[in-house]
Amino acid sequence: FKVLLSGSHTLDEFQRWSSYLINVQVIHIGYLKEDEAKQLIEAPVGLFALRYQAAASQRVLALTRGHPFLIQLLCAEVVALKNEQPPSQRRLAKVADVETAVPAALNHGSFFFADIEQNQVDNVGREVLRLIATYDEGNPAPRQALVNYVPSLLALEQALVALQHRELIEPLDGGYRFQVELVRRWFAERP
């Protein structure tokens, strides 16, 4: 008898459950490889009628980084959008279609994004994410901007380690940026 549990929290965060999880084997599931992600985008089921321009498929990859749930979320919105278009436009997804689908994906995926914001990061981490989100897609927030923003250097360092551990941010050019553009956009839209 085997049970599969899936979640976004680590075993360290389940101290109350530790006696029940003694024999648990943890398997990290990360982003899909590019060819796996393209298959999910372009051929999620056999005889899938919608085709993606190469640039549109690449845009989905750029927005999701190969995160399986986010690919499905965004592509479902692309399909819904295409179904509302005239028949002559329905069969080919373009970059503009992908971008048009983003707001609906952020809205329909709000539980996913809100879980990150409310349950996976602490207050300092949340503020760091909000600051990093103010930088444009792919651009890192300079480390000095983060140091100036967070009063406690120790709290900042702990938040940066935790955010990297959760695969939300990554270091780049002496600063930090979001790993997944859709997550950045969620935090960029938060008040």
Side-chain angles (χ1 to χ4, degrees):
F1 183 70
K2 293 182 181 183
V3 175
L4 172 66
L5 300 173
S6 176
S8 58
H9 298 278
T10 64
L11 287 180
D12 295 340
E13 297 170 326
F14 288 113
Q15 294 302 318
R16 296 182 334 173
W17 293 87
S18 62
S19 62
Y20 298 103
L21 302 173
I22 292 170
N23 293 321
V24 168
Q25 179 182 7
V26 176
I27 300 170
H28 177 262
I29 299 174
Y31 304 117
L32 296 175
K33 294 176 185 162
E34 185 173 339
D35 59 326
E36 297 167 332
K38 281 187 175 182
Q39 181 179 351
L40 183 57
I41 295 164
E42 298 170 2
V45 295
L47 302 175
F48 189 58
L50 179 62
R51 298 289 171 245
Y52 281 78
Q53 286 182 335
S57 186
Q58 282 302 124
R59 189 64 188 141
V60 172
L61 284 172
L63 290 166
T64 65
R65 195 177 178 150
H67 189 293
F69 171 74
L70 295 178
I71 290 172
Q72 292 179 9
L73 175 69
L74 183 55
C75 289
E77 296 303 333
V78 170
V79 168
L81 174 71
K82 297 306 286 182
N83 284 340
E84 296 298 320
Q85 293 177 350
S88 63
Q89 298 174 3
R90 283 189 190 159
R91 300 281 184 216
L92 183 65
K94 300 177 180 180
V95 173
D97 297 317
V98 173
E99 288 296 338
T100 300
V102 167
L106 292 173
N107 183 45
H108 290 129
S110 63
F111 284 121
F112 172 86
F113 299 110
D115 182 64
I116 294 171
E117 184 177 28
Q118 297 169 10
N119 299 321
Q120 297 184 32
V121 299
D122 62 12
N123 289 334
V124 174
R126 192 168 18 264
E127 292 306 314
V128 167
L129 291 175
R130 286 183 179 142
L131 176 64
I132 295 172
T134 64
Y135 289 81
D136 290 334
E137 180 175 346
N139 293 328
R143 180 172 172 73
Q144 192 58 48
L146 297 170
V147 169
N148 294 342
Y149 189 69
V150 178
S152 166
L153 189 56
L154 176 61
L156 173 62
E157 291 301 328
Q158 290 173 338
L160 291 173
V161 167
L163 294 171
Q164 289 176 83
H165 179 72
R166 287 215 172 271
E167 298 179 338
L168 293 170
I169 63 169
E170 62 189 352
L172 179 71
D173 298 333
Y176 295 88
R177 72 173 181 185
F178 276 83
Q179 285 193 15
V180 178
E181 174 59 15
L182 280 182
V183 177
R184 186 198 71 80
R185 289 189 186 189
W186 169 265
F187 279 92
E189 292 180 4
R190 309 312 305 156

